[in-house]
């Protein structure tokens, strides 16, 4: 019997299967507002059990990439409402991923009046794409004052409440891939000497404050978190205390009672492999649901579920390219290949036009 295709629960929610759509930034939200095209895209993929949306900013300061959505204005809430309605109509549940880009981005991508904020004034190595002027070097961000940190916590909290208004089943805190929450955790981007920098108890303070405040606002059953221990994306080098730091995080997040931890392993994309003992540590320390992601095919998904390594499996690129991935896997059908040239471009091409399988003939 397939575990992947069978029903399960996530906190109070019933999921129609154990397949989760990984968060995928697609840059189709012109003006940072979700639209009908996005509702169609998510609805096409709603045979998954749970959809986690693309990274969505809680603040105008967190819109570091072009055409990514926010959840801080009335128009954005209304746009997301259309998405959640379309997804719920097909039986999936949907969490909104809250992503504040922090030092990753460019003023050319931010709305007027917004700032590039980070734990410390340390730029990320590398270039960033802007619609206005193409590739630009990552700028030096402004080091956040305590008042900026307090404002950011409030923005996350309001964003989570807005997500509830928009009909989401929950939110996922994006603690991975070099964005603001991870910038606080990692010592190369957090050089602070106040109570938000230095030892891990301090570097984890911001992420834990956000997690605590958001769970108090919308309920711990509605809050998950994505983490990338051993992730190096966006200039986040490995460092000796990494395992101990993430063990501390796993224990603290467990105490807060979040509904899930979602671990990223980007070795299928060329990143260092996340050691097995780190995934096992999370399974041991974090008592609620565990989601694994990165490079899964059907066989590996079933094997990891059967071995009890996790409760749910998240899949990104295969679902991006195969709106009916579940059906294809059930039938053993060939998969469409993802087209990386249209991952981040505007419009329906490479977004809503991946073909679904023809319906199987029904017996008469
Ligand atoms: C086009 C694209 C956009 C992505 N956007 C996000 C994002 O917004 N938030 C996030 O946490 N991860 C993001 N990721 C990482 C994916 O969620 C996932 O971890 C990665 O694709 C590996 O899983 P896969 O092998 O199943 O594709 C993105 C990946 C791709 C390819």
């Amino acid at each position: 019997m397939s575990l992947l295709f069978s029903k399960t629960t996530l906190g109070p929610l019933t999921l129609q299967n154990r397949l989760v759509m990984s968060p995928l930034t697609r840059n189709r939200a012109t003006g940072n507002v979700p639209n009908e095209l996005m509702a169609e895209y998510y609805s096409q993929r709603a045979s998954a059990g749970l959809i986690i949306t693309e990274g969505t900013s809680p603040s105008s300061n967190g819109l570091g990439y072009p055409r990514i959505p926010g959840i801080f204005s009335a128009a954005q809430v209304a746009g997301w409402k259309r998405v959640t309605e379309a997804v719920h109509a097909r039986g999936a549940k949907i969490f909104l991923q809250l992503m504040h880009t922090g030092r990753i981005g460019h003023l050319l991508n931010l709305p007027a009046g917004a700032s590039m904020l980070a734990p410390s004034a340390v730029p990320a190595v590398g270039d960033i794409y802007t619609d206005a002027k193409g590739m630009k070097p990552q700028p030096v961000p402004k080091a956040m004052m305590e008042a900026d940190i307090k404002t950011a916590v409030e923005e996350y909290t309001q964003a989570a409440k807005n997500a509830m208004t928009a009909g989401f089943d929950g939110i996922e805190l994006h603690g991975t891939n070099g964005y603001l929450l991870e910038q606080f955790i990692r010592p190369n981007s957090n050089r602070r000497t106040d109570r938000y920098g230095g030892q891990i108890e301090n570097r984890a303070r911001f992420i834990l404050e956000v997690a605590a405040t958001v769970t108090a606002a919308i309920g711990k059953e509605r809050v998950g978190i994505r983490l990338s221990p051993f992730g190096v994306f966006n200039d986040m080098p490995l460092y000796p205390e990494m395992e101990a730091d993430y063990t501390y995080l796993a224990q603290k997040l467990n105490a807060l009672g979040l509904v899930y931890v979602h671990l990223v392993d980007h070795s299928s994309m060329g990143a260092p492999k996340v050691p097995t003992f780190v995934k096992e540590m999370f399974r041991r320390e974090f008592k609620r649901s565990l989601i694994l992601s990165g490079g899964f095919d059907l066989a590996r998904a079933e094997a990891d579920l059967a071995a009890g390594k996790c409760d749910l499996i998240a899949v990104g690129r295969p679902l991006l390219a195969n709106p009916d991935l579940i059906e294809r896997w059930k039938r053993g059908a060939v998969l469409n290949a993802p087209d990386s040239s249209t991952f981040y471009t505007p419009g329906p091409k490479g977004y809503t036009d991946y073909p679904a399988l023809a319906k199987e003939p029904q017996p008469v």
Side-chain angles (χ1 to χ4, degrees):
M1 198 197 81
S2 162
L3 281 170
L4 188 69
F5 303 146
S6 49
K7 274 191 188 175
T8 190
T9 54
L10 177 68
L13 302 172
T14 299
L15 306 184
Q16 58 194 0
N17 54 59
R18 291 175 166 87
L19 181 74
V20 177
M21 180 174 169
S22 279
L24 295 166
T25 289
R26 304 303 311 278
N27 306 73
R28 263 61 176 194
T30 308
N32 309 117
V33 177
N35 50 44
E36 278 305 312
L37 184 66
M38 290 166 61
E40 183 188 346
Y41 163 80
Y42 282 111
S43 151
Q44 286 175 343
R45 286 154 183 80
S47 53
L50 174 68
I51 287 178
I52 303 170
T53 71
E54 63 209 274
T56 299
S57 183
S59 164
S60 60
N61 300 325
L63 293 166
Y65 293 109
R67 292 169 271 105
I68 63 170
I71 182 87
F72 51 86
S73 76
Q76 290 162 345
V77 172
W80 279 122
K81 198 159 199 303
R82 283 289 306 115
V83 174
T84 60
E85 284 165 359
V87 165
H88 286 150
R90 293 204 53 217
K93 301 292 191 272
I94 180 166
F95 273 41
L96 179 74
Q97 189 186 53
L98 291 183
M99 171 175 85
H100 190 309
T101 47
R103 71 173 183 160
I104 301 300
H106 203 282
L107 279 182
L108 288 169
N109 292 338
L110 295 185
S115 314
M116 299 260 318
L117 298 179
S120 304
V122 181
V125 174
D127 292 339
I128 178 94
Y129 176 78
T130 68
D131 268 347
K133 297 201 168 154
M135 298 307 281
K136 303 289 283 178
Q138 293 273 5
V140 180
K142 181 172 165 277
M144 291 164 85
M145 312 284 286
E146 280 232 8
D148 297 319
I149 293 179
K150 190 163 174 282
T151 302
V153 173
E154 285 163 8
E155 286 172 335
Y156 272 101
T157 311
Q158 186 57 50
K161 291 183 189 165
N162 291 348
M164 295 297 102
T165 308
F168 284 99
D169 298 291
I171 64 102
E172 176 176 282
L173 296 172
H174 190 346
T176 78
N177 301 350
Y179 301 110
L180 186 65
L181 295 176
E182 197 176 71
Q183 288 162 28
F184 271 86
I185 298 169
R186 302 293 188 94
N188 76 307
S189 46
N190 182 347
R191 314 267 176 93
R192 300 176 75 93
T193 52
D194 65 357
R195 62 198 189 98
Y196 289 95
Q199 60 206 33
I200 184 60
E201 290 77 4
N202 287 351
R203 279 182 282 116
R205 192 179 305 282
F206 177 60
I207 191 167
L208 293 174
E209 278 180 5
V210 169
T213 317
V214 166
T215 51
I218 64 169
K220 60 187 181 181
E221 305 292 345
R222 305 273 173 202
V223 182
I225 191 163
R226 198 171 207 221
L227 296 172
S228 46
F230 290 79
V232 294
F233 188 61
N234 277 328
D235 186 22
M236 285 289 159
L238 303 183
Y239 62 100
E241 301 79 24
M242 174 104 61
E243 188 197 342
D245 285 2
Y246 278 89
T247 305
Y248 175 82
L249 273 174
Q251 290 165 345
K252 290 288 175 186
L253 292 167
N254 184 58
L256 284 172
L258 266 59
V259 74
Y260 70 75
V261 164
H262 179 182
L263 292 182
V264 169
D265 181 339
H266 279 168
S267 48
S268 67
M269 301 167 105
K273 204 171 155 29
V274 182
T276 305
F277 64 80
V278 172
K279 296 178 190 171
E280 289 170 355
M281 177 277 289
F282 269 95
R283 190 60 162 160
R284 196 172 57 243
E285 300 292 343
F286 188 79
K287 310 295 180 205
R288 304 204 74 196
S289 295
L290 184 67
I291 308 178
L292 293 182
S293 69
F296 276 95
D297 58 15
L298 176 59
R300 233 186 97 214
E302 293 287 11
D304 279 11
L305 287 168
K309 292 184 183 172
C310 58
D311 303 290
L312 300 166
I313 297 287
V315 166
R317 289 160 298 171
L319 250 172
L320 182 158
N322 297 276
D324 55 350
L325 183 65
I326 287 262
E327 186 61 25
R328 283 177 195 253
W329 274 352
K330 279 185 181 164
R331 287 206 231 164
V334 174
L335 301 188
N336 302 319
D339 169 16
S340 59
S341 73
T342 50
F343 277 178
Y344 308 113
T345 46
K349 190 169 170 339
Y351 189 56
T352 48
D353 61 355
Y354 283 104
L357 288 178
K359 290 261 172 290
E360 250 180 339
Q362 297 299 311
V364 277

